[in-house]
Amino acid sequence: GYPNVGKSSLINSLKRSRACGGGAMPGITRCLQAVQLDRHIRLLDCPGVVLDSGDPPAAAPLRGALAPQRLRDPLAPACAILRRCPPQQVRGD
């Protein structure tokens, strides 16, 4: 799945304990982990995967592939977000 969509959090909720590490930053889950939910169900937690779609590099942070703190230029992703929003929503009309 994509990074930061809640894969580890969902497993933790189903398990009702902290079976997988998780957080708001991408890259916390670093390897594949099997979690036994009950006798018949085993869940796999894995790192997020973002396939190269040919989009410009500014699109990677929008898919959660990069932590905001690691961006060299946060202006390009911010402009990409603003281009996707209706102008009246940005202005607060």
Side-chain angles (χ1 to χ4, degrees):
Y2 283 106
N4 283 20
V5 295
K7 296 179 296 292
S8 300
S9 297
L10 177 64
I11 291 172
N12 288 339
S13 292
L14 292 171
K15 185 77 175 166
R16 295 188 181 171
S17 67
R18 187 170 169 90
C20 305
M25 300 302 293
I28 292 177
T29 304
R30 298 203 180 266
C31 61
L32 187 69
Q33 177 182 359
V35 177
Q36 196 72 37
L37 189 59
D38 63 20
R39 251 181 40 197
H40 304 288
I41 299 174
R42 179 180 295 172
L43 302 172
L44 295 176
D45 188 26
C46 64
V49 177
V50 178
L51 301 175
D52 185 14
S53 62
D55 290 337
L62 302 180
R63 291 190 302 262
L66 293 172
Q69 294 82 356
R70 295 186 61 200
L71 295 175
R72 289 184 185 168
D73 176 27
L75 190 58
C79 289
I81 291 170
L82 291 174
R83 280 193 298 274
R84 293 177 183 202
C85 296
Q88 62 273 18
Q89 186 177 16
V90 175
R91 287 192 307 261
D93 293 348

